[in-house]
Amino acid sequence: MKVLFYGRLSEAIAPEIELASSSNCSIAELRQRLAAAHPHAAATLRSQRSRVLINSSLVGEDFVIGASDQIEFLPPVSGG
Amino acid sequence: MSVVARLEEHRLDPRQELGELLAQAGGDGAVVSFVGIARPHSKSGAPVDELVLEHHPILTRQSLEEIAVGAAERFDVSHVRVAHRCGIIPAGEPIVFAGASSAHRRAAFEAADYLMDRLKTEAVFWKREIGEAGAAWIEPTETDFADRDRWG
């Protein structure tokens, strides 16, 4: 499954990675898994100010990821 | 009532934005506008040559629209206008225009203030300052979040 990263996560990890199946894993578990794989980005991955979208919709920490879902990690945003 | 929320990839002209808002505001007694400009130095004082604003292909426009509509619904305003740059913005150039018109001044002042507090913390952009010292990601401060929370 595909995971897209933006902002500082895109720079620290990659704009996009292919993840070996994370289906049946919750968002909270995915954060931990990615943080372990990318320790230099762990704080941002674990931060609740970094939001996670599944198929373009914001989801909570308990959401269980399906095999064909597209995942997006949005670190804290700032306009103006 | 009208709501304009635009993402500008190349150029933002605050004079033109204000002119259009004024032209729309016939019959209103007040127009309030704010222009955000890329600062030539960081918080620590280091020189900044340009800001780079990354955006999301879907969510950025949605966030601008949602914030502008939020102001229109919350305050007694006739027109709300937001135009926001993305991409590379040299220091000294405008980043954002936020304005509102209303029958009496208070609503337009409050709408502009609300627009900026929400844009700072909720508009979907990822911002980097680029200067001699390299690049630094800029995220909302605790003050920015507290300013946003004033509106509930």
Side-chain angles (χ1 to χ4, degrees), chain B residues 116-137:
Chain B
M116 284 314 304
D117 283 346
R118 287 198 64 192
L119 287 165
K120 290 296 281 186
T121 52
E122 295 176 41
V124 178
F125 293 97
W126 297 279
K127 201 189 296 181
R128 261 177 308 168
E129 285 178 344
I130 315 278
E132 281 170 24
W137 292 99

mmCIF file of all heavy atoms in Angstrom, chain B residues 116-137:
data_model
loop_
_atom_site.group_PDB
_atom_site.id
_atom_site.type_symbol
_atom_site.label_atom_id
_atom_site.label_comp_id
_atom_site.label_asym_id
_atom_site.label_seq_id
_atom_site.Cartn_x
_atom_site.Cartn_y
_atom_site.Cartn_z
ATOM 1 N N MET B 116 -7.403 35.240 9.531
ATOM 2 C CA MET B 116 -5.956 35.056 9.672
ATOM 3 C C MET B 116 -5.610 34.064 10.769
ATOM 4 O O MET B 116 -4.692 33.261 10.600
ATOM 5 C CB MET B 116 -5.278 36.414 9.928
ATOM 6 C CG MET B 116 -5.159 37.266 8.696
ATOM 7 S SD MET B 116 -4.543 36.362 7.235
ATOM 8 C CE MET B 116 -3.009 35.699 7.863
ATOM 9 N N ASP B 117 -6.356 34.091 11.880
ATOM 10 C CA ASP B 117 -6.061 33.120 12.948
ATOM 11 C C ASP B 117 -6.272 31.699 12.451
ATOM 12 O O ASP B 117 -5.502 30.787 12.774
ATOM 13 C CB ASP B 117 -6.956 33.380 14.173
ATOM 14 C CG ASP B 117 -6.479 34.579 14.979
ATOM 15 O OD1 ASP B 117 -5.339 35.032 14.761
ATOM 16 O OD2 ASP B 117 -7.254 35.063 15.827
ATOM 17 N N ARG B 118 -7.290 31.480 11.666
ATOM 18 C CA ARG B 118 -7.524 30.127 11.140
ATOM 19 C C ARG B 118 -6.538 29.788 10.024
ATOM 20 O O ARG B 118 -6.068 28.652 9.943
ATOM 21 C CB ARG B 118 -8.971 29.976 10.658
ATOM 22 C CG ARG B 118 -9.962 29.890 11.828
ATOM 23 C CD ARG B 118 -11.295 29.327 11.411
ATOM 24 N NE ARG B 118 -11.216 27.956 10.944
ATOM 25 C CZ ARG B 118 -12.205 27.318 10.318
ATOM 26 N NH1 ARG B 118 -13.345 27.939 10.094
ATOM 27 N NH2 ARG B 118 -12.064 26.069 9.926
ATOM 28 N N LEU B 119 -6.238 30.747 9.165
ATOM 29 C CA LEU B 119 -5.282 30.467 8.083
ATOM 30 C C LEU B 119 -3.917 30.066 8.651
ATOM 31 O O LEU B 119 -3.267 29.151 8.135
ATOM 32 C CB LEU B 119 -5.133 31.687 7.169
ATOM 33 C CG LEU B 119 -6.331 31.970 6.254
ATOM 34 C CD1 LEU B 119 -6.240 33.377 5.665
ATOM 35 C CD2 LEU B 119 -6.424 30.945 5.128
ATOM 36 N N LYS B 120 -3.487 30.732 9.734
ATOM 37 C CA LYS B 120 -2.170 30.441 10.305
ATOM 38 C C LYS B 120 -2.057 29.007 10.787
ATOM 39 O O LYS B 120 -0.969 28.431 10.766
ATOM 40 C CB LYS B 120 -1.872 31.378 11.493
ATOM 41 C CG LYS B 120 -1.639 32.811 11.137
ATOM 42 C CD LYS B 120 -0.417 33.038 10.289
ATOM 43 C CE LYS B 120 0.878 33.038 11.071
ATOM 44 N NZ LYS B 120 2.030 33.421 10.188
ATOM 45 N N THR B 121 -3.151 28.457 11.283
ATOM 46 C CA THR B 121 -3.080 27.133 11.918
ATOM 47 C C THR B 121 -3.790 26.034 11.143
ATOM 48 O O THR B 121 -3.589 24.854 11.438
ATOM 49 C CB THR B 121 -3.701 27.186 13.331
ATOM 50 O OG1 THR B 121 -5.010 27.758 13.222
ATOM 51 C CG2 THR B 121 -2.868 28.025 14.279
ATOM 52 N N GLU B 122 -4.637 26.386 10.166
ATOM 53 C CA GLU B 122 -5.454 25.355 9.516
ATOM 54 C C GLU B 122 -5.327 25.315 7.997
ATOM 55 O O GLU B 122 -5.718 24.302 7.391
ATOM 56 C CB GLU B 122 -6.932 25.551 9.884
ATOM 57 C CG GLU B 122 -7.203 25.344 11.367
ATOM 58 C CD GLU B 122 -8.662 25.652 11.693
ATOM 59 O OE1 GLU B 122 -9.551 25.278 10.924
ATOM 60 O OE2 GLU B 122 -8.888 26.302 12.720
ATOM 61 N N ALA B 123 -4.861 26.383 7.389
ATOM 62 C CA ALA B 123 -4.701 26.339 5.932
ATOM 63 C C ALA B 123 -3.623 25.288 5.623
ATOM 64 O O ALA B 123 -2.569 25.258 6.271
ATOM 65 C CB ALA B 123 -4.283 27.710 5.408
ATOM 66 N N VAL B 124 -3.905 24.440 4.653
ATOM 67 C CA VAL B 124 -3.024 23.284 4.412
ATOM 68 C C VAL B 124 -1.832 23.694 3.533
ATOM 69 O O VAL B 124 -1.887 23.617 2.303
ATOM 70 C CB VAL B 124 -3.825 22.107 3.817
ATOM 71 C CG1 VAL B 124 -2.907 20.938 3.520
ATOM 72 C CG2 VAL B 124 -4.923 21.692 4.790
ATOM 73 N N PHE B 125 -0.797 24.186 4.221
ATOM 74 C CA PHE B 125 0.475 24.530 3.580
ATOM 75 C C PHE B 125 1.594 24.034 4.483
ATOM 76 O O PHE B 125 1.433 23.959 5.706
ATOM 77 C CB PHE B 125 0.634 26.051 3.433
ATOM 78 C CG PHE B 125 -0.334 26.689 2.487
ATOM 79 C CD1 PHE B 125 -1.487 27.288 2.968
ATOM 80 C CD2 PHE B 125 -0.093 26.699 1.117
ATOM 81 C CE1 PHE B 125 -2.396 27.879 2.104
ATOM 82 C CE2 PHE B 125 -0.998 27.300 0.245
ATOM 83 C CZ PHE B 125 -2.154 27.874 0.740
ATOM 84 N N TRP B 126 2.723 23.748 3.855
ATOM 85 C CA TRP B 126 3.939 23.446 4.594
ATOM 86 C C TRP B 126 4.976 24.448 4.133
ATOM 87 O O TRP B 126 5.283 24.534 2.944
ATOM 88 C CB TRP B 126 4.371 21.997 4.355
ATOM 89 C CG TRP B 126 3.316 21.074 4.872
ATOM 90 C CD1 TRP B 126 3.134 20.696 6.185
ATOM 91 C CD2 TRP B 126 2.266 20.447 4.124
ATOM 92 N NE1 TRP B 126 2.028 19.879 6.275
ATOM 93 C CE2 TRP B 126 1.483 19.705 5.032
ATOM 94 C CE3 TRP B 126 1.915 20.442 2.768
ATOM 95 C CZ2 TRP B 126 0.376 18.969 4.632
ATOM 96 C CZ3 TRP B 126 0.801 19.714 2.367
ATOM 97 C CH2 TRP B 126 0.053 18.981 3.300
ATOM 98 N N LYS B 127 5.480 25.193 5.126
ATOM 99 C CA LYS B 127 6.223 26.410 4.828
ATOM 100 C C LYS B 127 7.693 26.254 5.224
ATOM 101 O O LYS B 127 7.995 25.791 6.320
ATOM 102 C CB LYS B 127 5.575 27.516 5.681
ATOM 103 C CG LYS B 127 5.811 28.913 5.228
ATOM 104 C CD LYS B 127 5.311 29.905 6.255
ATOM 105 C CE LYS B 127 3.829 29.917 6.514
ATOM 106 N NZ LYS B 127 3.429 30.938 7.505
ATOM 107 N N ARG B 128 8.584 26.652 4.337
ATOM 108 C CA ARG B 128 10.019 26.643 4.630
ATOM 109 C C ARG B 128 10.609 28.015 4.366
ATOM 110 O O ARG B 128 10.283 28.646 3.361
ATOM 111 C CB ARG B 128 10.743 25.653 3.710
ATOM 112 C CG ARG B 128 11.028 24.325 4.341
ATOM 113 C CD ARG B 128 11.683 23.412 3.335
ATOM 114 N NE ARG B 128 10.914 23.353 2.111
ATOM 115 C CZ ARG B 128 11.350 22.816 0.970
ATOM 116 N NH1 ARG B 128 12.554 22.318 0.903
ATOM 117 N NH2 ARG B 128 10.586 22.778 -0.091
ATOM 118 N N GLU B 129 11.454 28.456 5.262
ATOM 119 C CA GLU B 129 12.246 29.665 5.020
ATOM 120 C C GLU B 129 13.580 29.230 4.439
ATOM 121 O O GLU B 129 14.246 28.365 5.005
ATOM 122 C CB GLU B 129 12.512 30.408 6.342
ATOM 123 C CG GLU B 129 11.307 31.153 6.881
ATOM 124 C CD GLU B 129 11.593 31.826 8.221
ATOM 125 O OE1 GLU B 129 12.602 31.478 8.869
ATOM 126 O OE2 GLU B 129 10.799 32.678 8.624
ATOM 127 N N ILE B 130 13.967 29.885 3.344
ATOM 128 C CA ILE B 130 15.244 29.563 2.703
ATOM 129 C C ILE B 130 16.141 30.788 2.783
ATOM 130 O O ILE B 130 15.727 31.889 2.395
ATOM 131 C CB ILE B 130 15.058 29.206 1.206
ATOM 132 C CG1 ILE B 130 13.879 28.250 1.001
ATOM 133 C CG2 ILE B 130 16.349 28.685 0.589
ATOM 134 C CD1 ILE B 130 14.145 26.819 1.236
ATOM 135 N N GLY B 131 17.344 30.578 3.288
ATOM 136 C CA GLY B 131 18.296 31.690 3.370
ATOM 137 C C GLY B 131 19.716 31.163 3.317
ATOM 138 O O GLY B 131 19.933 29.985 3.054
ATOM 139 N N GLU B 132 20.658 32.062 3.580
ATOM 140 C CA GLU B 132 22.078 31.671 3.545
ATOM 141 C C GLU B 132 22.353 30.475 4.437
ATOM 142 O O GLU B 132 23.151 29.597 4.098
ATOM 143 C CB GLU B 132 22.945 32.828 4.085
ATOM 144 C CG GLU B 132 23.184 33.935 3.112
ATOM 145 C CD GLU B 132 23.839 35.122 3.814
ATOM 146 O OE1 GLU B 132 24.488 34.934 4.849
ATOM 147 O OE2 GLU B 132 23.668 36.236 3.298
ATOM 148 N N ALA B 133 21.681 30.446 5.579
ATOM 149 C CA ALA B 133 21.956 29.397 6.571
ATOM 150 C C ALA B 133 21.302 28.065 6.201
ATOM 151 O O ALA B 133 21.460 27.083 6.921
ATOM 152 C CB ALA B 133 21.476 29.862 7.939
ATOM 153 N N GLY B 134 20.559 28.030 5.104
ATOM 154 C CA GLY B 134 19.882 26.782 4.712
ATOM 155 C C GLY B 134 18.377 26.946 4.769
ATOM 156 O O GLY B 134 17.857 28.060 4.654
ATOM 157 N N ALA B 135 17.682 25.833 4.960
ATOM 158 C CA ALA B 135 16.215 25.854 4.954
ATOM 159 C C ALA B 135 15.696 25.440 6.324
ATOM 160 O O ALA B 135 16.276 24.581 6.990
ATOM 161 C CB ALA B 135 15.698 24.908 3.877
ATOM 162 N N ALA B 136 14.605 26.048 6.759
ATOM 163 C CA ALA B 136 13.999 25.712 8.047
ATOM 164 C C ALA B 136 12.485 25.639 7.886
ATOM 165 O O ALA B 136 11.874 26.550 7.308
ATOM 166 C CB ALA B 136 14.361 26.760 9.084
ATOM 167 N N TRP B 137 11.891 24.547 8.388
ATOM 168 C CA TRP B 137 10.432 24.416 8.355
ATOM 169 C C TRP B 137 9.815 25.342 9.388
ATOM 170 O O TRP B 137 10.316 25.444 10.510
ATOM 171 C CB TRP B 137 10.019 22.971 8.656
ATOM 172 C CG TRP B 137 10.416 22.030 7.565
ATOM 173 C CD1 TRP B 137 11.508 21.214 7.552
ATOM 174 C CD2 TRP B 137 9.739 21.834 6.311
ATOM 175 N NE1 TRP B 137 11.556 20.527 6.361
ATOM 176 C CE2 TRP B 137 10.488 20.882 5.584
ATOM 177 C CE3 TRP B 137 8.593 22.372 5.731
ATOM 178 C CZ2 TRP B 137 10.118 20.452 4.313
ATOM 179 C CZ3 TRP B 137 8.227 21.948 4.470
ATOM 180 C CH2 TRP B 137 8.977 20.997 3.772
#
